[in-house]
């Protein structure tokens, strides 16, 4: 779980520099589409009918000086058409000279108009138009190249980052590798799983080539990239298997060693074994290939992680917390504030796990610096992304509305506000009442408000930088800040903030008390990308294999064992809650939504559960699943970003049972109560 190897050898740019270039390419290609739209509008404003000038006009082949009288005489003499000899024989085919003349005159007129339009377009093709057109067509080609290369970028990014995560021992597991037995068991199973992925991809390639359907060059290239990537991943895990670090403890227990196996490995072994047993060895490769259908979504995940790691390199989070410090809030209240503030960026990232990976380390460090105990800080970090998934403009909600015609985004976001208020209230009540260890003694308003207001001043330049980027996109490219534009705007915003800090903080001869010297722009971007590379590899590989687990659930027809409709909406809701929480434990949000849409949703609708109510329950149930043992993905991601040492230190702390497990129990109480209320209270008003 700890990074090493590449960073200690000073070779981190060998993996992070290509990853940085790939992520920048994604931003460039998506932004070029906006630029191209504005160029088309600008061309139309500068030259009316510019869309006709985008290509060289072709001279018409017709004759504009055609002799009408001769053409009429020729047409009348032609008689009946050759393909209708019977009409000519019977004399039934007679031509009206007036109609013939009218048709020929129209034809000549259209020809003359076409020639006139051609000459007019030729006159409009000035050197300025040709120069502008060359740039505009280049941008259009760049967009086409970016769209075609999006899937290639995703495969290369996943494989590059997965190899990095393997070499740096940064995959997501239930516990860290502490002993030699942990290490050997983990990397042995990783090697087997990676070889299984390689074999499945190779079999999928061969079956595709042997099918009756022709395989395009693009599909063949994707097959080859998957195979090369999994071959490199297998070699990386094999290399790690035979390079056992010397700082590991001797001994160990086999049961604990299995907990050190990465989750993606467990998912791969389960799905690979199942597909092999049913004679479908290419199953994992097929379901991984389905990632390509949502390539833009998975690339956005990588961009969000990169944004979070760049945020960690800035002073922005510290300055935001400085606004609340003068009030001397008890740690429990500050944790609630942190979770509430985190809801807004979570709504833009679209999934709680992504936000924990992206900003969890910042939240945890700031809460600890403000005096929060470890368990409380860990609980708040794990739950920091759980409240905002129901708020506009969360991409997960957009996906739900896209896949389900029974609901709209306006309806879901409208009710999502009330769900957010409920979950936030529950977390606040639990944090402030259960195991509260601090006195509720806020600083006097006359003392705290001026200090808090002064703390807002350093945030003003950041607000101006953010507003500047948003306004440039809004007025120069006609792009609003929403769920569709956020993935390409946020990286630009964070890069602009890093540039601002580089320029402003470098001017200072000495840092402020308690503040480290600014590392510089290059080191900040490099540090953020180094963290991003391993995190993307761990997260995207896990998301990809969860899609494969979804395939196992789909092909095993487990859902067919349940009734397709219930007589009671209450009984159906009880089953829905259990199933949805379990799915939240083992699958990523987007893959789970696709699976639920195809299976559970129809049962809920048939049982009398309102579609909007069902999907609100689904979102809350997923979040409870991400916080629930034995997997508790958000807690695993929290440990991933804050470090194993902090979690172990928290586990060694004494106290009551609740105090020893507060980081797990507190989120479960808050989200559990919220889920019960969201699931069953609305039934009182419409269920019969």
């Amino acid at each position: 779980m700890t990074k090493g190897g590449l960073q200690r050898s000073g070779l981190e740019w060998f993996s992070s520099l290509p990853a940085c270039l790939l992520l920048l390419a994604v931003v460039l290609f998506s932004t070029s589409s906006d630029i191209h739209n504005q160029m088309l509008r600008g061309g139309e404003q500068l030259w009316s009918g510019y869309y006709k000038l985008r290509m060289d006009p072709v001279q018409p082949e017709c004759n504009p000086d055609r002799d009408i009288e001769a053409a009429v005489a020729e047409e009348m003499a032609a008689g009946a058409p050759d393909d209708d000899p019977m009409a000519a024989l019977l004399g039934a085919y007679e031509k009206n000279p007036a109609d013939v003349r009218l048709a020929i005159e129209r034809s000549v007129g259209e020809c003359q108009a076409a020639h006139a339009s051609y000459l007019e377009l030729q006159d409009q093709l000035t050197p300025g138009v040709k120069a502008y057109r060359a740039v505009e067509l280049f941008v259009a080609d760049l967009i086409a190249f970016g769209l075609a290369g999006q899937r290639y970028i995703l495969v290369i990014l996943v494989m590059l980052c997965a190899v990095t995560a393997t070499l740096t021992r940064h995959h997501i597991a239930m516990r860290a590798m502490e002993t030699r037995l942990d290490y050997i068991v983990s990397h042995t199973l990783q090697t087997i799983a990676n070889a299984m992925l390689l074999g499945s991809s190779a079999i999928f390639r061969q079956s595709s080539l042997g099918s009756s359907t022709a395989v395009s060059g693009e599909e063949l290239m994707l097959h080859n990239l998957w195979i090369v990537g999994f071959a490199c991943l297998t070699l990386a895990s094999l290399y790690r298997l035979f390079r056992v670090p010397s700082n590991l403890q001797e001994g160990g227990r086999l049961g604990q060693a299995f907990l050190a196996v990465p989750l993606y490995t467990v998912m791969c072994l389960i799905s690979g074994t199942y597909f092999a047993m049913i004679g479908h060895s290419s199953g994992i490769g097929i379901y991984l290939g389905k990632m390509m259908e949502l390539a833009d979504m998975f690339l956005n995940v990588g961009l969000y992680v990169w944004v979070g790691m760049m945020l960690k390199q800035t002073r922005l989070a510290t300055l935001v917390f400085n606004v609340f410090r003068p009030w001397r809030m008890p740690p429990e209240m500050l944790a609630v504030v942190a979770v509430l503030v985190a809801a807004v960026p979570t709504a833009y990232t679209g999934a709680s796990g992504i936000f924990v990976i992206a900003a969890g380390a910042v939240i945890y460090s700031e809460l600890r610096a403000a005096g929060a105990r470890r368990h409380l800080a860990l609980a708040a970090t794990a739950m920091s992304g759980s409240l905002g998934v129901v708020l506009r403009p969360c991409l997960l909600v957009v996906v739900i509305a896209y896949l389900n015609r029974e609901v709209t985004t306006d309806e879901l976001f409208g009710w999502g506000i009330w769900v957010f208020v409920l979950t936030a209230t529950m977390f606040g009540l639990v944090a402030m009442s259960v195991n509260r260890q601090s006195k509720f003694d806020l600083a006097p308003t006359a003392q705290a408000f001026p200090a808090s207001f002064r703390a807002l001043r350093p945030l003003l330049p950041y607000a101006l930088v953010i507003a500047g980027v948003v306004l440039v996109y809004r007025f120069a490219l006609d792009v609003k800040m929403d769920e569709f534009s956020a993935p390409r705007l946020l990286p630009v915003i964070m890069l602009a903030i890093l540039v601002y800090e580089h320029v402003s903080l470098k001017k200072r001869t000495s840092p402020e008390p308690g503040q480290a010297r600014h590392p510089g722009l290059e080191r900040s971007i490099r540090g953020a990308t180094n963290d991003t590379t391993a995190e993307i590899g761990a997260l995207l590989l896990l998301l990809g294999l969860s899609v494969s687990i979804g395939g196992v659930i789909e092909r095993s027809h487990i859902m067919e064992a349940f009734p397709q409709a219930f007589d009671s909406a209450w009984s159906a809701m009880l089953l829905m809650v259990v199933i949805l929480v379990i799915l939240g434990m083992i699958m990523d949000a987007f893959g789970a939504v696709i699976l639920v849409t195809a299976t559970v949703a129809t049962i809920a609708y048939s049982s009398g559960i309102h579609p909007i109510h069902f999907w609100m329950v689904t979102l809350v149930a997923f979040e409870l699943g991400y916080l629930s043992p034995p997997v508790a993905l958000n807690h695993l991601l929290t440990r991933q970003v804050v470090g194993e040492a902090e979690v172990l230190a928290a586990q060694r702390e004494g106290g009551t049972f609740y105090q020893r497990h507060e980081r797990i129990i507190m989120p479960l109480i808050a989200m559990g109560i919220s889920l019960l209320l969201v699931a069953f209270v609305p039934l009182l008003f419409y269920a019969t």
Side-chain angles (χ1 to χ4, degrees):
M1 299 286 291
T2 57
K3 290 186 180 182
L6 291 178
Q7 284 190 329
R8 284 194 292 269
S9 65
L11 301 177
E12 66 270 20
W13 269 121
F14 277 93
S15 61
S16 58
L17 179 58
C20 180
L21 295 177
L22 289 172
L23 293 172
L24 285 174
V26 174
V27 176
L28 174 63
F29 290 143
S30 59
T31 305
S32 62
S33 177
D34 303 321
I35 296 174
H36 183 249
N37 291 335
Q38 291 302 101
M39 292 190 70
L40 289 177
R41 293 179 184 177
E44 190 65 29
Q45 291 177 354
L46 293 173
W47 304 282
S48 179
Y50 171 75
Y51 69 95
K52 297 180 181 179
L53 301 174
R54 298 184 70 237
M55 298 297 173
D56 289 332
V58 179
Q59 184 174 4
E61 297 181 356
C62 61
N63 182 11
D65 300 324
R66 184 180 179 185
D67 190 334
I68 296 178
E69 296 298 333
V72 170
E74 182 180 356
E75 184 70 20
M76 294 297 297
D82 295 337
D83 59 356
D84 195 4
M86 185 60 67
L89 180 65
L90 298 178
Y93 189 87
E94 297 182 358
K95 294 183 179 180
N96 187 336
D99 292 341
V100 172
R101 176 181 294 276
L102 180 61
I104 293 176
E105 288 177 347
R106 287 178 178 176
S107 176
V108 172
E110 291 175 354
C111 181
Q112 292 174 346
H115 277 270
S117 176
Y118 168 74
L119 294 175
E120 182 181 358
L121 292 176
Q122 284 285 81
D123 294 337
Q124 290 180 348
L125 278 178
T126 62
V129 172
K130 292 181 178 179
Y132 187 89
R133 183 181 67 177
V135 176
E136 181 261 309
L137 292 177
F138 170 77
V139 176
D141 292 338
L142 185 65
I143 296 171
F145 175 78
L147 292 175
Q150 197 172 49
R151 299 196 291 176
Y152 301 129
I153 292 176
L154 177 60
V155 176
I156 296 172
L157 186 66
V158 170
M159 292 293 93
L160 174 67
C161 295
V163 170
T164 303
T166 300
L167 293 176
T168 57
R169 297 160 51 194
H170 208 74
H171 283 295
I172 302 169
M174 300 290 288
R175 59 182 293 271
M177 291 178 281
E178 300 175 357
T179 67
R180 292 177 64 88
L181 181 62
D182 296 343
Y183 187 92
I184 293 173
V185 170
S186 176
H187 282 284
T188 298
L189 293 180
Q190 283 185 59
T191 304
I192 295 174
N194 295 336
M196 191 178 290
L197 290 170
L198 174 60
S200 180
S201 298
I203 294 173
F204 181 33
R205 179 183 184 277
Q206 290 304 114
S207 62
S208 298
L209 293 175
S211 65
S212 57
T213 306
V215 178
S216 65
E218 181 180 352
E219 292 175 342
L220 184 60
M221 176 63 73
L222 288 173
H223 282 304
N224 294 336
L225 286 175
W226 280 118
I227 291 173
V228 172
F230 285 130
C232 294
L233 189 60
T234 304
L235 292 175
S237 59
L238 194 62
Y239 167 80
R240 267 303 185 189
L241 177 60
F242 290 102
R243 291 293 299 270
V244 182
S246 58
N247 59 346
L248 294 175
Q249 304 173 12
E250 295 295 333
R253 290 185 294 178
L254 190 61
Q256 292 184 343
F258 282 120
L259 295 178
V261 178
L263 293 181
Y264 94 88
T265 300
V266 177
M267 291 181 175
C268 179
L269 294 174
I270 293 174
S271 57
T273 302
Y274 172 81
F275 287 129
M277 290 175 60
I278 65 173
H280 190 54
S281 299
S282 60
I284 302 180
I286 292 174
Y287 281 98
L288 282 176
K290 288 187 175 182
M291 290 179 65
M292 301 300 98
E293 299 174 8
L294 299 172
D296 55 343
M297 184 188 76
F298 286 102
L299 287 173
N300 289 345
V301 170
L303 290 175
Y304 285 132
V305 173
W306 194 33
V307 167
M309 296 308 161
M310 285 192 285
L311 173 64
K312 191 168 66 173
Q313 296 290 326
T314 70
R315 300 173 59 242
L316 188 57
T318 302
L319 295 176
V320 171
F321 273 87
N322 287 344
V323 176
F324 301 101
R325 286 195 178 97
W327 295 92
R328 295 201 300 268
M329 295 181 182
E332 293 84 2
M333 178 180 285
L334 188 61
V336 174
V337 171
V339 172
L340 293 178
V341 171
V344 175
T346 300
Y348 280 93
T349 59
S352 60
I354 300 173
F355 181 79
V356 172
I357 280 280
V362 177
I363 292 176
Y364 179 81
S365 61
E366 291 300 330
L367 286 175
R368 288 288 292 152
R373 55 190 180 275
R374 284 189 175 89
H375 276 286
L376 177 62
L378 289 171
T381 302
M383 202 173 170
S384 59
S386 296
L387 304 188
V389 294
V390 293
L391 297 179
R392 189 182 297 272
C394 180
L395 183 59
L396 185 60
V397 176
V398 176
V399 172
I400 291 174
Y402 175 78
L403 297 175
N404 298 266
R405 296 183 177 180
E406 296 83 359
V407 296
T408 64
T409 53
D410 289 338
E411 292 172 333
L412 292 174
F413 285 131
W415 285 102
I417 295 175
W418 296 105
V419 173
F420 167 73
V421 172
L422 173 64
T423 53
T425 302
M426 287 298 105
F427 180 69
L429 292 176
V430 172
M432 295 298 296
S433 60
V434 182
N435 194 38
R436 183 162 64 88
Q437 302 179 13
S438 305
K439 294 182 179 181
F440 191 82
D441 186 19
L442 294 177
T445 303
Q447 175 184 347
F449 183 79
S452 183
F453 183 79
R454 287 194 298 270
L456 287 173
R457 295 178 184 174
L459 285 170
L460 182 59
Y462 292 88
L464 293 176
V465 170
I466 295 173
V469 174
V470 172
L471 290 176
V472 166
Y473 270 81
R474 180 65 182 89
F475 293 104
L477 301 179
D478 194 25
V479 175
K480 298 179 181 180
M481 185 69 165
D482 54 24
E483 64 271 24
F484 305 107
S485 63
R488 60 182 182 271
L489 259 73
L490 291 177
V492 178
I493 289 173
M494 293 311 305
L495 288 172
I497 289 176
L498 288 176
V499 171
Y500 160 73
E501 287 195 349
H502 173 75
V503 174
S504 62
L505 298 181
K506 276 293 184 179
K507 295 178 179 179
R508 301 179 181 177
T509 57
S510 60
E512 297 177 0
Q515 178 184 326
R517 185 177 296 275
H518 189 264
L521 180 61
E522 188 273 338
R523 291 189 62 183
S524 296
I525 296 177
R526 175 155 53 97
T529 310
N530 290 341
D531 295 336
T532 301
T533 305
E535 301 294 357
I536 289 177
L539 186 59
L540 287 186
L541 200 58
L542 179 62
L543 298 185
L545 267 299
S546 71
V547 175
S548 182
I549 288 291
V552 172
I553 297 174
E554 181 181 1
R555 285 184 170 268
S556 62
H557 304 291
I558 294 176
M559 297 308 303
E560 293 182 3
F562 298 96
Q564 296 306 299
F566 287 79
D567 295 333
S568 170
W570 294 83
S571 301
M573 180 59 74
L574 180 61
L575 178 63
M576 297 297 106
V577 167
V578 174
I579 293 175
L580 294 171
V581 171
I582 294 175
L583 289 178
M585 292 181 181
I586 61 176
M587 293 189 67
D588 77 282
F590 296 100
V593 164
I594 296 173
L595 180 63
V596 168
T597 299
T599 55
V600 182
T602 55
I603 300 176
Y605 302 158
S606 302
S607 301
I609 298 176
H610 196 281
I612 297 177
H613 182 201
F614 170 75
W615 284 110
M616 288 294 103
V617 172
T618 300
L619 292 171
V620 180
F622 282 173
E623 293 307 319
L624 179 59
Y626 302 146
L627 296 166
S628 301
V631 180
L633 181 58
N634 278 10
H635 287 287
L636 295 180
L637 297 176
T638 297
R639 186 177 68 183
Q640 182 92 341
V641 296
V642 305
E644 185 69 21
E646 288 296 314
V647 178
L648 292 177
Q651 293 174 347
R652 288 193 294 265
E653 294 178 355
T656 64
F657 177 83
Y658 180 90
Q659 291 171 344
R660 295 196 308 272
H661 303 281
E662 182 181 15
R663 65 188 182 91
I664 301 292
I665 298 177
M666 178 191 291
L668 289 182
I669 294 176
M671 294 305 296
I673 296 175
S674 299
L675 177 59
L676 292 176
L677 295 175
V678 172
F680 294 104
V681 170
L683 291 179
L684 296 172
F685 297 94
Y686 73 85
T688 56

